[in-house]
Amino acid sequence: MDHATLSALRDRHPAWRLLVSPHAPLVASFLHRVFVAPNVRVMSEADLAEALEDELFTLREQLGTEAYPKGAQDYLNDWAAPDKGWLRKFYKPGTDEAQFDLTPATEKAIAWLLTLTERPFVGTESRLLTLFALLEQISAGTEADPIKRVTDLRKKRDELDAEIARVLAGDVPLLDDTAVKDRFQQFQQLARELLADFREVEHNFRLLDRKVREKIALWEGAKGALLDEIMGERDAIGDSDQGRSFRAFWDFLMSSRRQEELSERLDQVLALPAVAQLSPDPRTRRVHHDWLEAGEHTQRTVAQLSQQLRRFLDDRAFLENRRILDLLHGVENKALALRTAAPAGTVMHIDAMGADIELPLERPLFTPSVKPRLVDLALVAGENDIDTARLFEQIVVDKARLRAAVQRALRQKAQITLRELVETEPLKQGLAELVAYLELAHAGVGGDGLEGLRALVDDAVQEPIRWQAESAAGEAVVREAHLPRVIFTR
């Protein structure tokens, strides 16, 4: 925090530039309402410009027509310019419509502005307890002496037994309203910070991808060494502290048991009168679904970066092949230029030089192809009847029935995997019905689908799905398919 560092941050960091900008109230309030509050990761240019135009119209009515003279499109391009860096403007593969996303620096600035607002009270007890719990976890997780660990575990067991005895005796200690409000405020703050961390993790992946692309463009060595270094960079991000922490978080959150436990505890806490007095954000009830959506968006971004890197390497291989062809053409041109003036002396020595001898009589004689002769035949109508029932025995899967099965299962729990759904609702039409389930899941990936249902696909876990089928001989057999885990959520 010296003078030189702070001076550089003031000149270069987008968050500092936003705070000192004369348009900071417009930028911060609008981007918070559009991106941060509803947890929107990406928005198209047309939708974002329309929302900003409505915001500017309202402000001009309140502050005058000269308050913000430029159009919404100009403001968006200005905020995404390199000298601002408050928005990231990009194009999705295969589309020509610009997309906008919030940068981590802008989200940090908005989060700091949120801390300037007055809070009902500043709680410190829950933070102190959290610090003690973290130190206790670090101490217990790094203790290598079995005797000390067993001693600590027995001490905790004795404390639990004593607490159970007090509860059974009627001594049930409860948190007062102040303690409940203190802990709930800390929960909301950590939940918002976790959503902001996802955007920063995604930004770090993009920086790594840009670094790899720059290394490819400036590489002058062998391609094998380049591929080894690129794969090392990819493994480095996965094996880094950030990568391992993100993977552990994702595995924890993808557990259906954890999801159900989070939903139950949130419903229980939000129903408390002390929490209701704080008027919590309505999205708090489904904050774990926002975590899932943000984490899945980060996972898909990493997959898209890997595909783009593969195409980039293929383009580079094409350029290398083209360079080889250019060298060959250069050799041919030089050879043609020296054709009339052959160089004197020995040019080169070629080993095992010889001519292949092929006698003309060794070649086979020409054999004309056989031309088939068509005989005029009269077709006589047969007397056998053709079974036309097979034309009407085609399998048609009722997607409405499958959609109703998914909705019926989600009434009982917040989420369900495709494997669990098939166990409770066995497949009646075999593989065709399984493909129809996958089509419904694909329609719900990346947003609301299936009339309000959502679907997530975890490529890291393969699940077997079995069903009863009938063989050609009419015997009952068990079929099995292995596919990534598909999770339907509300």
Side-chain angles (χ1 to χ4, degrees):
M1 293 295 290
D2 54 359
H3 183 275
T5 303
L6 293 177
S7 178
L9 286 176
R10 183 190 61 183
D11 297 335
R12 301 177 184 177
H13 202 280
W16 200 315
R17 287 198 297 262
L18 173 59
L19 295 176
V20 299
S21 171
H23 292 168
L26 169 64
V27 179
S29 62
F30 175 72
L31 296 182
H32 175 267
R33 180 176 63 84
V34 174
F35 284 102
V36 179
N39 189 33
V40 173
R41 316 305 293 186
V42 177
M43 182 173 289
S44 63
E45 184 178 21
D47 295 339
L48 190 60
E50 182 180 359
L52 181 56
E53 197 65 51
D54 295 339
E55 183 82 8
L56 293 175
F57 178 78
T58 303
L59 292 175
R60 286 164 185 163
E61 284 189 340
Q62 298 174 358
L63 306 177
T65 56
E66 300 298 329
Y68 296 101
K70 294 195 298 185
Q73 190 70 43
D74 296 333
Y75 279 119
L76 292 179
N77 293 329
D78 184 34
W79 298 347
D83 60 334
K84 298 296 191 303
W86 303 331
L87 288 175
R88 184 177 71 93
K89 184 178 181 180
F90 64 100
Y91 293 87
K92 289 184 178 180
T95 61
D96 56 355
E97 184 180 6
Q99 308 287 326
F100 284 91
D101 187 14
L102 204 63
T103 60
T106 307
E107 191 160 9
K108 287 182 180 179
I110 295 175
W112 183 78
L113 290 174
L114 288 174
T115 60
L116 300 181
T117 58
E118 295 184 359
R119 290 180 290 177
F121 69 95
V122 179
T124 56
E125 179 192 4
S126 62
R127 299 182 185 181
L128 182 61
L129 293 177
T130 302
L131 294 177
F132 270 99
L134 291 175
L135 291 177
E136 184 179 359
Q137 292 175 11
I138 295 173
S139 177
T142 56
E143 180 61 59
D145 189 357
I147 298 178
K148 292 184 178 179
R149 297 198 69 168
V150 171
T151 303
D152 292 339
L153 291 175
R154 288 175 176 173
K155 181 180 179 181
K156 292 180 180 179
R157 184 186 62 184
D158 294 340
E159 293 176 354
L160 288 175
D161 291 340
E163 185 176 358
I164 292 174
R166 289 195 302 269
V167 172
L168 293 177
D171 183 9
V172 183
L174 299 177
L175 293 175
D176 56 7
D177 292 348
T178 303
V180 172
K181 293 177 181 178
D182 182 11
R183 286 157 176 77
F184 185 74
Q185 278 191 345
Q186 186 181 7
F187 170 80
Q188 283 188 311
Q189 180 181 357
L190 293 177
R192 287 193 298 265
E193 292 177 355
L194 188 58
L195 285 175
D197 290 342
F198 276 113
R199 187 170 270 114
E200 188 167 1
V201 169
E202 185 178 338
H203 177 70
N204 291 339
F205 277 119
R206 289 197 187 92
L207 291 180
L208 173 67
D209 183 75
R210 182 180 301 175
K211 177 182 176 183
V212 172
R213 289 172 185 268
E214 292 176 355
K215 187 173 296 184
I216 293 174
L218 301 176
W219 188 263
E220 296 181 356
K223 180 183 288 186
L226 173 62
L227 291 177
D228 290 340
E229 189 153 353
I230 291 175
M231 294 303 106
E233 294 282 356
R234 285 290 172 181
D235 295 337
I237 189 65
D239 296 336
S240 63
D241 294 339
Q242 182 172 236
R244 288 197 297 266
S245 178
F246 177 76
R247 186 166 57 250
F249 166 81
W250 184 251
D251 294 340
F252 179 86
L253 198 59
M254 288 301 294
S255 171
S256 58
R257 181 176 62 85
R258 295 292 185 181
Q259 284 285 323
E260 294 177 359
E261 183 179 355
L262 276 173
S263 299
E264 292 176 0
R265 292 187 181 275
L266 280 173
D267 293 339
Q268 180 182 359
V269 170
L270 291 174
L272 296 176
V275 175
Q277 293 177 2
L278 296 175
S279 299
D281 188 356
R283 296 188 64 89
T284 305
R285 189 178 298 275
R286 61 181 312 276
V287 65
H288 49 300
H289 296 294
D290 290 341
W291 294 340
L292 270 177
E293 185 177 351
E296 185 184 8
H297 187 272
T298 304
Q299 295 274 41
R300 292 187 179 278
T301 299
V302 175
Q304 290 177 1
L305 292 177
S306 300
Q307 294 176 0
Q308 293 174 5
L309 180 61
R310 172 60 184 273
R311 288 196 296 267
F312 189 67
L313 289 174
D314 291 342
D315 294 340
R316 184 170 178 84
F318 170 75
L319 293 177
E320 290 181 357
N321 295 333
R322 184 175 180 180
R323 179 174 176 271
I324 294 173
L325 292 177
D326 293 339
L327 292 176
L328 292 177
H329 287 313
V331 172
E332 293 174 354
N333 293 333
K334 292 181 180 179
L336 291 175
L338 296 174
R339 181 174 57 180
T340 56
T346 303
V347 178
M348 69 177 62
H349 295 278
I350 301 178
D351 298 332
M353 188 67 179
D356 296 333
I357 300 175
E358 294 183 1
L359 299 177
L361 296 179
E362 291 180 352
R363 299 180 179 179
L365 299 177
F366 172 75
T367 303
S369 59
V370 179
K371 296 182 179 180
R373 295 183 178 180
L374 301 178
V375 182
D376 295 335
L377 298 177
L379 297 179
V380 180
E383 297 179 357
N384 294 332
D385 295 334
I386 300 176
D387 185 10
T388 60
R390 292 181 174 270
L391 298 176
F392 304 97
E393 293 179 354
Q394 304 298 321
I395 297 177
V396 178
V397 179
D398 186 6
K399 293 183 181 179
R401 178 177 61 84
L402 304 185
R403 185 182 297 108
V406 176
Q407 293 173 339
R408 186 167 54 253
L410 291 178
R411 295 192 190 102
Q412 306 297 328
K413 53 174 61 177
Q415 66 177 23
I416 187 172
T417 63
L418 180 57
R419 179 182 178 183
E420 296 172 347
L421 183 62
V422 171
E423 290 177 355
T424 56
E425 299 280 346
L427 299 179
K428 300 179 180 179
Q429 295 171 300
L431 185 60
E433 188 171 342
L434 179 60
V435 172
Y437 270 121
L438 295 178
E439 184 179 353
L440 293 179
H442 176 71
V445 170
D448 291 335
L450 309 179
E451 298 180 0
L453 301 179
R454 296 171 180 261
L456 302 173
V457 179
D458 187 4
D459 297 330
V461 180
Q462 297 286 329
E463 285 189 339
I465 294 182
R466 301 179 180 88
W467 68 91
Q468 293 285 343
E470 186 176 345
S471 63
E475 300 177 353
V477 295
V478 177
R479 304 291 186 188
E480 182 174 315
H482 294 265
L483 65 157
R485 176 184 292 171
V486 178
I487 304 175
F488 294 100
T489 63
R490 294 177 183 173

